[in-house]
Amino acid sequence: METAAAAFEQHVELDEGVLATSAPLENGQLDRIILQVSEGLAGYPELSQKTYKLHTQLMEEKTIGAAFAIQGMLELLQANEKALEYFKSNIVGVLTGQLLPVCPPCFGGTIPVTTVEAAVTKEEVSASETAVVPVTKDDGETPTQEKLAPIFGIQTGKEKRPKAGNSDTNVNGNDVAAPPLRTELAEETKYDSEEAKTWATNPTYTIPAQWEHLYFKQVEVIHVNNRLAKEKVQAKRFAGEPFLLEGHAGWLKFADNWVKPDGTLNTAAFLHGIHDVKVPVLERNYEELDPIKTHLPLSYYVKNYWEHGKSDYYLHQWQFPLDPKAGALLCHKSEELPVLGDNLLLYWLDAVRGDNPLQYLFMGQKSTRSRMHLDPGGLGITIAPIIGTKRVTMVHREAAKLDSVHESVNFHDVDLDKIPQLAFLPAWQVDIKPGQILYMPEGTLHACENVTACLSCHRFHADTVSLTGFLRSFLAQDSQSINHAEILWNAAHDVMSAIEEIYHANNQVLDKTVATLRKLDTLRGLRHACRILSLEQVLPTEDSWDWKKLLDDIDILLVRVDSSAKLNKKRSSTHGSTPTKAMASLKGEEAAEAKHIIKAAANKKKQTKNKAEATAASTHWDSLNLKVGDTIGVQVFEKRNRAEVLKVAQDKVLVLIHYSDWESIYDEFLPVSSLYQRKKGKKVALKKTPEVQEAVMARWGSKGDLYNAIVLKAVRTNACYVHYLKYEKDWDQWVLPGHIFRKYHNP
């Protein structure tokens, strides 16, 4: 104790709220020590809560600084010498460049039974008490679902994590296969005749002839309270198939009083509080690349067009959460769908934190329709009519990979002789009505048409199931309006904070409620996403966002709170990760394991370096080997277009801007030299990179006209300046590598 105290006084000095240290001490480092001490004090719940409160004041409420946090810890820990010594020695350790222990020791007291040993004992007892007894039937009766459940693993409600050590071996140590999931599809259907059976079991008429329309498959309806709903939903999302959800009453709570008993719009309730908000409207049945767009007060549109059945204009893609007045009235009321994972978009923007910023209202008369299009960004889409019926035509996301699809196909009248590839891809068409929610997996091409006058709400969705598509979009930068990095970064930190609060509020134990387990699942998914990003050599993100450090923070938290995961460690695992180190500390083998980890990490680092050097030349940009005059294929304006390379730039700073009066598909990257600001009535060219959300004027077109714009982000990247072969010179622009899908060989 005296040694730790002496070292602490040598490296740390506190004087009336002023902190002086021998080396920089980050708040994050101090916070981690405070949390470890709080965890080690689990045997003294009251003292543990007091130390955790300092963490809250330092990192979340930000009402105190490092000096007051340290002073508070020193005063509180006078009651526990072991904890005080641990706190002081680790402060000194951080200041002298030493690594923090993964897990703290126990500082005494009475600890709740949550250790790994207790959990193992509990699991073993549970396994012995619930051994399955085979069931046989002599009367030929088909077993019911309830009777089949314990035999075949049919889900009957509450579920548990697979038991450690029992997932792949039986009691004799022999390998056994996991039991299959048996549903109604496992039962044989009785047919009236052999011919009926033959027709029912053999696929016919699956490929349309060249003179026919696409064959539309039926969209399956899934009730959210069906016991197999979540498995079915997940399978369809992985397969890229749309589906209809029913039975969820809380999806459109903000619109509860908008509908009269006869199903028509209650205009007064709809306009209440938002009548003067200006909303975007388009001319009916727009098909051109440059739709005529304007903004009208909502009440003007409703009174002059909707109520009179006029279809001249179509209320199109009104993003109501970002309007201060509408957002305050309509947001934070709806309930998320239980069969989908936690929506990462809820953590994105501070303005609507806790609700989805990517929600839109569409409103138009019968026959109003939109063109077939693909929404980039790697996000799923839901469509839910509030009033009326909407028809949605969809083509499987594989169609987006066809070079010719975006250039010339009229999806309202597909010519299979010109585009025969589409004959092999699934297509769907469905009419959706109030009470139904259509879910389209990320990348689905779709077109909407109002069968009747219709008001509908459309939302984007991202969770762990769609993370592969989300990350693919992130790395390709195919959506300039979606800040993938910010979504992942904010979601990871918010979910970590929520789990920390639950863990400490429940006396250092993570409860087993569904809400908690959903967040835990989300954090595991985000952990793997961070790992993917940490392996990338180049990321379209800010340098200050350290994905490797975030990965480390998530790993340490998971080790602390998810004790059940420790039971499921692979027997053959030699992975030197944070969880492995934590397991070693729990078993008292820290020194031996640490030596192994250091050696494994050194070998892995060497292998990674060699692999990086070997594959550096095979990156997408290098493989293109672009030169002035090359012809390339570019994904832009929701289409694929051929373009001629005019300039090639390496490591160039570009600013992504959004034109204030135009849709997001026209967002583009510009050099700083093309941006201006108005100062003292004059237009002044920018000299340095502007801040995110800063208002600027952007130079566009061959005449250099200036348009009002907002800065979305700035990146340093390789890029090329191109001219689109089908467009005028005005549309020449800078293109990032992720938007280039191929290089054509010039004749």
Side-chain angles (χ1 to χ4, degrees), residues 284-285 301-302 305-315 362-369 389-390 449-455:
R284 179 180 177 229
N285 296 340
Y301 170 77
V302 172
Y305 293 97
W306 174 269
E307 289 188 339
H308 294 284
K310 294 182 179 180
S311 56
D312 305 56
Y313 285 105
Y314 174 37
L315 190 154
F362 289 75
M363 190 176 189
Q365 295 298 320
K366 179 181 178 180
S367 298
T368 305
R369 71 184 188 183
T389 301
K390 186 178 289 287
E449 179 180 0
N450 290 345
V451 178
T452 66
C454 183
L455 167 63

PDB file of all heavy atoms in Angstrom, residues 284-285 301-302 305-315 362-369 389-390 449-455:
ATOM      1  N   ARG A 284     -46.862  14.587 -61.158  1.00  0.00           N
ATOM      2  CA  ARG A 284     -47.338  13.212 -61.196  1.00  0.00           C
ATOM      3  C   ARG A 284     -46.571  12.365 -62.210  1.00  0.00           C
ATOM      4  O   ARG A 284     -46.217  12.820 -63.285  1.00  0.00           O
ATOM      5  CB  ARG A 284     -48.828  13.218 -61.554  1.00  0.00           C
ATOM      6  CG  ARG A 284     -49.447  11.847 -61.646  1.00  0.00           C
ATOM      7  CD  ARG A 284     -50.921  11.964 -62.008  1.00  0.00           C
ATOM      8  NE  ARG A 284     -51.487  10.634 -62.173  1.00  0.00           N
ATOM      9  CZ  ARG A 284     -52.215  10.284 -63.214  1.00  0.00           C
ATOM     10  NH1 ARG A 284     -52.450  11.146 -64.172  1.00  0.00           N
ATOM     11  NH2 ARG A 284     -52.713   9.070 -63.298  1.00  0.00           N
ATOM     12  N   ASN A 285     -46.324  11.106 -61.824  1.00  0.00           N
ATOM     13  CA  ASN A 285     -45.712  10.107 -62.706  1.00  0.00           C
ATOM     14  C   ASN A 285     -44.371  10.559 -63.275  1.00  0.00           C
ATOM     15  O   ASN A 285     -44.100  10.415 -64.459  1.00  0.00           O
ATOM     16  CB  ASN A 285     -46.652   9.751 -63.868  1.00  0.00           C
ATOM     17  CG  ASN A 285     -47.922   9.105 -63.375  1.00  0.00           C
ATOM     18  OD1 ASN A 285     -47.970   8.585 -62.260  1.00  0.00           O
ATOM     19  ND2 ASN A 285     -48.965   9.156 -64.188  1.00  0.00           N
ATOM     20  N   TYR A 301     -51.376  21.956 -50.003  1.00  0.00           N
ATOM     21  CA  TYR A 301     -51.427  20.741 -50.818  1.00  0.00           C
ATOM     22  C   TYR A 301     -52.688  19.934 -50.507  1.00  0.00           C
ATOM     23  O   TYR A 301     -53.387  19.472 -51.419  1.00  0.00           O
ATOM     24  CB  TYR A 301     -50.185  19.881 -50.571  1.00  0.00           C
ATOM     25  CG  TYR A 301     -50.289  18.511 -51.197  1.00  0.00           C
ATOM     26  CD1 TYR A 301     -50.102  18.330 -52.562  1.00  0.00           C
ATOM     27  CD2 TYR A 301     -50.628  17.405 -50.426  1.00  0.00           C
ATOM     28  CE1 TYR A 301     -50.243  17.079 -53.143  1.00  0.00           C
ATOM     29  CE2 TYR A 301     -50.767  16.146 -50.994  1.00  0.00           C
ATOM     30  CZ  TYR A 301     -50.572  15.995 -52.355  1.00  0.00           C
ATOM     31  OH  TYR A 301     -50.724  14.755 -52.931  1.00  0.00           O
ATOM     32  N   VAL A 302     -53.004  19.766 -49.228  1.00  0.00           N
ATOM     33  CA  VAL A 302     -54.160  18.955 -48.840  1.00  0.00           C
ATOM     34  C   VAL A 302     -55.461  19.604 -49.310  1.00  0.00           C
ATOM     35  O   VAL A 302     -56.334  18.937 -49.889  1.00  0.00           O
ATOM     36  CB  VAL A 302     -54.172  18.743 -47.312  1.00  0.00           C
ATOM     37  CG1 VAL A 302     -55.478  18.073 -46.876  1.00  0.00           C
ATOM     38  CG2 VAL A 302     -52.982  17.891 -46.888  1.00  0.00           C
ATOM     39  N   TYR A 305     -55.341  20.006 -53.503  1.00  0.00           N
ATOM     40  CA  TYR A 305     -55.102  18.852 -54.370  1.00  0.00           C
ATOM     41  C   TYR A 305     -55.707  17.572 -53.796  1.00  0.00           C
ATOM     42  O   TYR A 305     -56.510  16.904 -54.443  1.00  0.00           O
ATOM     43  CB  TYR A 305     -53.596  18.677 -54.608  1.00  0.00           C
ATOM     44  CG  TYR A 305     -52.999  19.805 -55.413  1.00  0.00           C
ATOM     45  CD1 TYR A 305     -52.356  20.874 -54.787  1.00  0.00           C
ATOM     46  CD2 TYR A 305     -53.102  19.824 -56.796  1.00  0.00           C
ATOM     47  CE1 TYR A 305     -51.832  21.925 -55.518  1.00  0.00           C
ATOM     48  CE2 TYR A 305     -52.574  20.869 -57.547  1.00  0.00           C
ATOM     49  CZ  TYR A 305     -51.943  21.919 -56.901  1.00  0.00           C
ATOM     50  OH  TYR A 305     -51.437  22.953 -57.633  1.00  0.00           O
ATOM     51  N   TRP A 306     -55.330  17.210 -52.577  1.00  0.00           N
ATOM     52  CA  TRP A 306     -55.807  15.953 -52.002  1.00  0.00           C
ATOM     53  C   TRP A 306     -57.331  15.924 -51.862  1.00  0.00           C
ATOM     54  O   TRP A 306     -57.989  14.983 -52.314  1.00  0.00           O
ATOM     55  CB  TRP A 306     -55.140  15.729 -50.644  1.00  0.00           C
ATOM     56  CG  TRP A 306     -55.658  14.528 -49.903  1.00  0.00           C
ATOM     57  CD1 TRP A 306     -56.683  14.493 -49.002  1.00  0.00           C
ATOM     58  CD2 TRP A 306     -55.207  13.185 -50.027  1.00  0.00           C
ATOM     59  NE1 TRP A 306     -56.890  13.220 -48.542  1.00  0.00           N
ATOM     60  CE2 TRP A 306     -55.990  12.387 -49.161  1.00  0.00           C
ATOM     61  CE3 TRP A 306     -54.211  12.565 -50.771  1.00  0.00           C
ATOM     62  CZ2 TRP A 306     -55.807  11.023 -49.025  1.00  0.00           C
ATOM     63  CZ3 TRP A 306     -54.023  11.194 -50.630  1.00  0.00           C
ATOM     64  CH2 TRP A 306     -54.810  10.440 -49.773  1.00  0.00           C
ATOM     65  N   GLU A 307     -57.902  16.949 -51.246  1.00  0.00           N
ATOM     66  CA  GLU A 307     -59.343  16.941 -50.986  1.00  0.00           C
ATOM     67  C   GLU A 307     -60.171  17.034 -52.261  1.00  0.00           C
ATOM     68  O   GLU A 307     -61.334  16.617 -52.278  1.00  0.00           O
ATOM     69  CB  GLU A 307     -59.707  18.090 -50.038  1.00  0.00           C
ATOM     70  CG  GLU A 307     -59.212  17.864 -48.611  1.00  0.00           C
ATOM     71  CD  GLU A 307     -59.741  18.908 -47.652  1.00  0.00           C
ATOM     72  OE1 GLU A 307     -60.144  20.003 -48.120  1.00  0.00           O
ATOM     73  OE2 GLU A 307     -59.755  18.650 -46.438  1.00  0.00           O
ATOM     74  N   HIS A 308     -59.589  17.551 -53.326  1.00  0.00           N
ATOM     75  CA  HIS A 308     -60.312  17.662 -54.597  1.00  0.00           C
ATOM     76  C   HIS A 308     -59.975  16.514 -55.549  1.00  0.00           C
ATOM     77  O   HIS A 308     -60.415  16.519 -56.701  1.00  0.00           O
ATOM     78  CB  HIS A 308     -60.000  19.004 -55.262  1.00  0.00           C
ATOM     79  CG  HIS A 308     -60.523  20.187 -54.500  1.00  0.00           C
ATOM     80  ND1 HIS A 308     -61.853  20.552 -54.496  1.00  0.00           N
ATOM     81  CD2 HIS A 308     -59.895  21.065 -53.676  1.00  0.00           C
ATOM     82  CE1 HIS A 308     -62.024  21.615 -53.723  1.00  0.00           C
ATOM     83  NE2 HIS A 308     -60.845  21.948 -53.211  1.00  0.00           N
ATOM     84  N   GLY A 309     -59.195  15.550 -55.064  1.00  0.00           N
ATOM     85  CA  GLY A 309     -58.861  14.398 -55.893  1.00  0.00           C
ATOM     86  C   GLY A 309     -57.961  14.710 -57.064  1.00  0.00           C
ATOM     87  O   GLY A 309     -57.905  13.947 -58.035  1.00  0.00           O
ATOM     88  N   LYS A 310     -57.235  15.820 -56.994  1.00  0.00           N
ATOM     89  CA  LYS A 310     -56.350  16.199 -58.091  1.00  0.00           C
ATOM     90  C   LYS A 310     -55.011  15.470 -57.965  1.00  0.00           C
ATOM     91  O   LYS A 310     -54.448  15.377 -56.879  1.00  0.00           O
ATOM     92  CB  LYS A 310     -56.109  17.708 -58.086  1.00  0.00           C
ATOM     93  CG  LYS A 310     -57.341  18.543 -58.393  1.00  0.00           C
ATOM     94  CD  LYS A 310     -56.984  20.024 -58.406  1.00  0.00           C
ATOM     95  CE  LYS A 310     -58.196  20.888 -58.740  1.00  0.00           C
ATOM     96  NZ  LYS A 310     -57.840  22.329 -58.739  1.00  0.00           N
ATOM     97  N   SER A 311     -54.515  14.991 -59.090  1.00  0.00           N
ATOM     98  CA  SER A 311     -53.257  14.237 -59.071  1.00  0.00           C
ATOM     99  C   SER A 311     -52.125  14.980 -59.771  1.00  0.00           C
ATOM    100  O   SER A 311     -51.147  14.367 -60.188  1.00  0.00           O
ATOM    101  CB  SER A 311     -53.459  12.870 -59.733  1.00  0.00           C
ATOM    102  OG  SER A 311     -53.964  13.028 -61.047  1.00  0.00           O
ATOM    103  N   ASP A 312     -52.280  16.311 -59.906  1.00  0.00           N
ATOM    104  CA  ASP A 312     -51.230  17.087 -60.565  1.00  0.00           C
ATOM    105  C   ASP A 312     -49.908  16.969 -59.815  1.00  0.00           C
ATOM    106  O   ASP A 312     -48.829  16.929 -60.422  1.00  0.00           O
ATOM    107  CB  ASP A 312     -51.622  18.574 -60.639  1.00  0.00           C
ATOM    108  CG  ASP A 312     -52.964  18.793 -61.304  1.00  0.00           C
ATOM    109  OD1 ASP A 312     -53.946  18.196 -60.821  1.00  0.00           O
ATOM    110  OD2 ASP A 312     -53.027  19.555 -62.277  1.00  0.00           O
ATOM    111  N   TYR A 313     -50.017  16.960 -58.485  1.00  0.00           N
ATOM    112  CA  TYR A 313     -48.814  16.883 -57.664  1.00  0.00           C
ATOM    113  C   TYR A 313     -48.905  15.710 -56.698  1.00  0.00           C
ATOM    114  O   TYR A 313     -49.990  15.273 -56.315  1.00  0.00           O
ATOM    115  CB  TYR A 313     -48.609  18.182 -56.873  1.00  0.00           C
ATOM    116  CG  TYR A 313     -48.108  19.329 -57.720  1.00  0.00           C
ATOM    117  CD1 TYR A 313     -48.974  20.357 -58.098  1.00  0.00           C
ATOM    118  CD2 TYR A 313     -46.791  19.382 -58.137  1.00  0.00           C
ATOM    119  CE1 TYR A 313     -48.529  21.412 -58.876  1.00  0.00           C
ATOM    120  CE2 TYR A 313     -46.331  20.434 -58.917  1.00  0.00           C
ATOM    121  CZ  TYR A 313     -47.199  21.444 -59.283  1.00  0.00           C
ATOM    122  OH  TYR A 313     -46.755  22.476 -60.053  1.00  0.00           O
ATOM    123  N   TYR A 314     -47.733  15.251 -56.305  1.00  0.00           N
ATOM    124  CA  TYR A 314     -47.587  14.071 -55.459  1.00  0.00           C
ATOM    125  C   TYR A 314     -46.657  14.447 -54.313  1.00  0.00           C
ATOM    126  O   TYR A 314     -45.511  14.849 -54.544  1.00  0.00           O
ATOM    127  CB  TYR A 314     -46.990  12.955 -56.329  1.00  0.00           C
ATOM    128  CG  TYR A 314     -46.603  11.670 -55.642  1.00  0.00           C
ATOM    129  CD1 TYR A 314     -47.344  11.134 -54.603  1.00  0.00           C
ATOM    130  CD2 TYR A 314     -45.483  10.954 -56.083  1.00  0.00           C
ATOM    131  CE1 TYR A 314     -46.987   9.933 -54.014  1.00  0.00           C
ATOM    132  CE2 TYR A 314     -45.121   9.753 -55.505  1.00  0.00           C
ATOM    133  CZ  TYR A 314     -45.874   9.249 -54.464  1.00  0.00           C
ATOM    134  OH  TYR A 314     -45.517   8.056 -53.891  1.00  0.00           O
ATOM    135  N   LEU A 315     -47.161  14.399 -53.066  1.00  0.00           N
ATOM    136  CA  LEU A 315     -46.290  14.665 -51.918  1.00  0.00           C
ATOM    137  C   LEU A 315     -45.262  13.541 -51.854  1.00  0.00           C
ATOM    138  O   LEU A 315     -45.600  12.381 -51.629  1.00  0.00           O
ATOM    139  CB  LEU A 315     -47.108  14.727 -50.623  1.00  0.00           C
ATOM    140  CG  LEU A 315     -46.367  15.225 -49.374  1.00  0.00           C
ATOM    141  CD1 LEU A 315     -47.350  15.833 -48.382  1.00  0.00           C
ATOM    142  CD2 LEU A 315     -45.586  14.119 -48.687  1.00  0.00           C
ATOM    143  N   PHE A 362     -45.455   9.764 -47.932  1.00  0.00           N
ATOM    144  CA  PHE A 362     -45.811   9.901 -49.343  1.00  0.00           C
ATOM    145  C   PHE A 362     -47.333  10.037 -49.411  1.00  0.00           C
ATOM    146  O   PHE A 362     -48.053   9.344 -48.690  1.00  0.00           O
ATOM    147  CB  PHE A 362     -45.373   8.674 -50.144  1.00  0.00           C
ATOM    148  CG  PHE A 362     -43.883   8.548 -50.324  1.00  0.00           C
ATOM    149  CD1 PHE A 362     -43.071   8.138 -49.281  1.00  0.00           C
ATOM    150  CD2 PHE A 362     -43.291   8.834 -51.547  1.00  0.00           C
ATOM    151  CE1 PHE A 362     -41.704   8.006 -49.441  1.00  0.00           C
ATOM    152  CE2 PHE A 362     -41.921   8.708 -51.726  1.00  0.00           C
ATOM    153  CZ  PHE A 362     -41.123   8.298 -50.666  1.00  0.00           C
ATOM    154  N   MET A 363     -47.813  10.885 -50.309  1.00  0.00           N
ATOM    155  CA  MET A 363     -49.253  11.155 -50.355  1.00  0.00           C
ATOM    156  C   MET A 363     -49.643  11.521 -51.782  1.00  0.00           C
ATOM    157  O   MET A 363     -49.075  12.443 -52.376  1.00  0.00           O
ATOM    158  CB  MET A 363     -49.577  12.314 -49.399  1.00  0.00           C
ATOM    159  CG  MET A 363     -51.031  12.567 -49.132  1.00  0.00           C
ATOM    160  SD  MET A 363     -51.175  13.898 -47.891  1.00  0.00           S
ATOM    161  CE  MET A 363     -52.925  13.815 -47.537  1.00  0.00           C
ATOM    162  N   GLY A 364     -50.585  10.779 -52.355  1.00  0.00           N
ATOM    163  CA  GLY A 364     -50.985  11.074 -53.723  1.00  0.00           C
ATOM    164  C   GLY A 364     -52.267  10.369 -54.105  1.00  0.00           C
ATOM    165  O   GLY A 364     -52.736   9.460 -53.415  1.00  0.00           O
ATOM    166  N   GLN A 365     -52.830  10.773 -55.225  1.00  0.00           N
ATOM    167  CA  GLN A 365     -54.088  10.214 -55.696  1.00  0.00           C
ATOM    168  C   GLN A 365     -53.872   8.897 -56.447  1.00  0.00           C
ATOM    169  O   GLN A 365     -52.740   8.448 -56.642  1.00  0.00           O
ATOM    170  CB  GLN A 365     -54.792  11.227 -56.609  1.00  0.00           C
ATOM    171  CG  GLN A 365     -55.213  12.501 -55.901  1.00  0.00           C
ATOM    172  CD  GLN A 365     -56.216  12.246 -54.793  1.00  0.00           C
ATOM    173  OE1 GLN A 365     -57.124  11.430 -54.944  1.00  0.00           O
ATOM    174  NE2 GLN A 365     -56.055  12.944 -53.671  1.00  0.00           N
ATOM    175  N   LYS A 366     -54.956   8.295 -56.866  1.00  0.00           N
ATOM    176  CA  LYS A 366     -54.920   7.039 -57.605  1.00  0.00           C
ATOM    177  C   LYS A 366     -54.044   7.171 -58.851  1.00  0.00           C
ATOM    178  O   LYS A 366     -54.054   8.196 -59.526  1.00  0.00           O
ATOM    179  CB  LYS A 366     -56.343   6.634 -58.005  1.00  0.00           C
ATOM    180  CG  LYS A 366     -56.429   5.351 -58.812  1.00  0.00           C
ATOM    181  CD  LYS A 366     -57.870   5.034 -59.174  1.00  0.00           C
ATOM    182  CE  LYS A 366     -57.941   3.774 -60.019  1.00  0.00           C
ATOM    183  NZ  LYS A 366     -59.340   3.442 -60.395  1.00  0.00           N
ATOM    184  N   SER A 367     -53.281   6.115 -59.125  1.00  0.00           N
ATOM    185  CA  SER A 367     -52.400   6.001 -60.302  1.00  0.00           C
ATOM    186  C   SER A 367     -51.117   6.810 -60.180  1.00  0.00           C
ATOM    187  O   SER A 367     -50.269   6.747 -61.073  1.00  0.00           O
ATOM    188  CB  SER A 367     -53.128   6.388 -61.598  1.00  0.00           C
ATOM    189  OG  SER A 367     -54.212   5.503 -61.813  1.00  0.00           O
ATOM    190  N   THR A 368     -50.966   7.585 -59.112  1.00  0.00           N
ATOM    191  CA  THR A 368     -49.676   8.242 -58.907  1.00  0.00           C
ATOM    192  C   THR A 368     -48.623   7.167 -58.696  1.00  0.00           C
ATOM    193  O   THR A 368     -48.825   6.238 -57.921  1.00  0.00           O
ATOM    194  CB  THR A 368     -49.720   9.155 -57.667  1.00  0.00           C
ATOM    195  OG1 THR A 368     -50.802  10.066 -57.799  1.00  0.00           O
ATOM    196  CG2 THR A 368     -48.427   9.929 -57.530  1.00  0.00           C
ATOM    197  N   ARG A 369     -47.502   7.280 -59.370  1.00  0.00           N
ATOM    198  CA  ARG A 369     -46.507   6.218 -59.263  1.00  0.00           C
ATOM    199  C   ARG A 369     -45.096   6.773 -59.372  1.00  0.00           C
ATOM    200  O   ARG A 369     -44.876   7.888 -59.850  1.00  0.00           O
ATOM    201  CB  ARG A 369     -46.728   5.164 -60.339  1.00  0.00           C
ATOM    202  CG  ARG A 369     -46.392   5.615 -61.752  1.00  0.00           C
ATOM    203  CD  ARG A 369     -46.734   4.528 -62.760  1.00  0.00           C
ATOM    204  NE  ARG A 369     -46.239   4.860 -64.092  1.00  0.00           N
ATOM    205  CZ  ARG A 369     -46.456   4.116 -65.169  1.00  0.00           C
ATOM    206  NH1 ARG A 369     -47.170   3.004 -65.066  1.00  0.00           N
ATOM    207  NH2 ARG A 369     -45.966   4.465 -66.338  1.00  0.00           N
ATOM    208  N   THR A 389     -54.607   2.094 -50.658  1.00  0.00           N
ATOM    209  CA  THR A 389     -53.879   0.896 -51.081  1.00  0.00           C
ATOM    210  C   THR A 389     -52.740   1.287 -52.007  1.00  0.00           C
ATOM    211  O   THR A 389     -52.919   2.089 -52.922  1.00  0.00           O
ATOM    212  CB  THR A 389     -54.822  -0.081 -51.811  1.00  0.00           C
ATOM    213  OG1 THR A 389     -55.894  -0.433 -50.934  1.00  0.00           O
ATOM    214  CG2 THR A 389     -54.083  -1.336 -52.226  1.00  0.00           C
ATOM    215  N   LYS A 390     -51.575   0.705 -51.773  1.00  0.00           N
ATOM    216  CA  LYS A 390     -50.396   0.985 -52.594  1.00  0.00           C
ATOM    217  C   LYS A 390     -49.901  -0.318 -53.209  1.00  0.00           C
ATOM    218  O   LYS A 390     -49.792  -1.340 -52.525  1.00  0.00           O
ATOM    219  CB  LYS A 390     -49.285   1.618 -51.747  1.00  0.00           C
ATOM    220  CG  LYS A 390     -48.070   2.078 -52.555  1.00  0.00           C
ATOM    221  CD  LYS A 390     -47.034   2.732 -51.662  1.00  0.00           C
ATOM    222  CE  LYS A 390     -47.479   4.076 -51.157  1.00  0.00           C
ATOM    223  NZ  LYS A 390     -47.465   5.126 -52.201  1.00  0.00           N
ATOM    224  N   GLU A 449     -47.012   2.357 -56.866  1.00  0.00           N
ATOM    225  CA  GLU A 449     -48.150   2.952 -57.559  1.00  0.00           C
ATOM    226  C   GLU A 449     -49.350   2.945 -56.625  1.00  0.00           C
ATOM    227  O   GLU A 449     -49.629   1.938 -55.968  1.00  0.00           O
ATOM    228  CB  GLU A 449     -48.479   2.168 -58.831  1.00  0.00           C
ATOM    229  CG  GLU A 449     -49.668   2.726 -59.594  1.00  0.00           C
ATOM    230  CD  GLU A 449     -49.979   1.936 -60.846  1.00  0.00           C
ATOM    231  OE1 GLU A 449     -49.259   0.954 -61.118  1.00  0.00           O
ATOM    232  OE2 GLU A 449     -50.946   2.288 -61.545  1.00  0.00           O
ATOM    233  N   ASN A 450     -50.050   4.061 -56.545  1.00  0.00           N
ATOM    234  CA  ASN A 450     -51.234   4.140 -55.697  1.00  0.00           C
ATOM    235  C   ASN A 450     -52.433   3.531 -56.417  1.00  0.00           C
ATOM    236  O   ASN A 450     -52.862   4.039 -57.457  1.00  0.00           O
ATOM    237  CB  ASN A 450     -51.531   5.596 -55.324  1.00  0.00           C
ATOM    238  CG  ASN A 450     -50.503   6.163 -54.360  1.00  0.00           C
ATOM    239  OD1 ASN A 450     -49.737   5.415 -53.754  1.00  0.00           O
ATOM    240  ND2 ASN A 450     -50.481   7.476 -54.222  1.00  0.00           N
ATOM    241  N   VAL A 451     -52.974   2.463 -55.860  1.00  0.00           N
ATOM    242  CA  VAL A 451     -54.174   1.836 -56.421  1.00  0.00           C
ATOM    243  C   VAL A 451     -55.389   2.704 -56.120  1.00  0.00           C
ATOM    244  O   VAL A 451     -56.322   2.800 -56.916  1.00  0.00           O
ATOM    245  CB  VAL A 451     -54.360   0.421 -55.841  1.00  0.00           C
ATOM    246  CG1 VAL A 451     -55.627  -0.229 -56.376  1.00  0.00           C
ATOM    247  CG2 VAL A 451     -53.146  -0.442 -56.165  1.00  0.00           C
ATOM    248  N   THR A 452     -55.380   3.326 -54.945  1.00  0.00           N
ATOM    249  CA  THR A 452     -56.385   4.326 -54.564  1.00  0.00           C
ATOM    250  C   THR A 452     -55.624   5.537 -54.043  1.00  0.00           C
ATOM    251  O   THR A 452     -54.393   5.518 -53.948  1.00  0.00           O
ATOM    252  CB  THR A 452     -57.308   3.790 -53.452  1.00  0.00           C
ATOM    253  OG1 THR A 452     -56.528   3.611 -52.254  1.00  0.00           O
ATOM    254  CG2 THR A 452     -57.931   2.459 -53.843  1.00  0.00           C
ATOM    255  N   ALA A 453     -56.342   6.596 -53.706  1.00  0.00           N
ATOM    256  CA  ALA A 453     -55.678   7.709 -53.025  1.00  0.00           C
ATOM    257  C   ALA A 453     -55.005   7.149 -51.777  1.00  0.00           C
ATOM    258  O   ALA A 453     -55.622   6.408 -51.012  1.00  0.00           O
ATOM    259  CB  ALA A 453     -56.693   8.782 -52.659  1.00  0.00           C
ATOM    260  N   CYS A 454     -53.742   7.491 -51.578  1.00  0.00           N
ATOM    261  CA  CYS A 454     -52.972   6.787 -50.549  1.00  0.00           C
ATOM    262  C   CYS A 454     -52.036   7.734 -49.802  1.00  0.00           C
ATOM    263  O   CYS A 454     -51.373   8.583 -50.406  1.00  0.00           O
ATOM    264  CB  CYS A 454     -52.169   5.658 -51.198  1.00  0.00           C
ATOM    265  SG  CYS A 454     -51.244   4.639 -50.030  1.00  0.00           S
ATOM    266  N   LEU A 455     -52.001   7.569 -48.485  1.00  0.00           N
ATOM    267  CA  LEU A 455     -51.020   8.209 -47.607  1.00  0.00           C
ATOM    268  C   LEU A 455     -50.246   7.086 -46.934  1.00  0.00           C
ATOM    269  O   LEU A 455     -50.845   6.203 -46.310  1.00  0.00           O
ATOM    270  CB  LEU A 455     -51.725   9.075 -46.558  1.00  0.00           C
ATOM    271  CG  LEU A 455     -50.875   9.579 -45.377  1.00  0.00           C
ATOM    272  CD1 LEU A 455     -49.764  10.502 -45.861  1.00  0.00           C
ATOM    273  CD2 LEU A 455     -51.751  10.290 -44.346  1.00  0.00           C
TER     274      LEU A 455
END
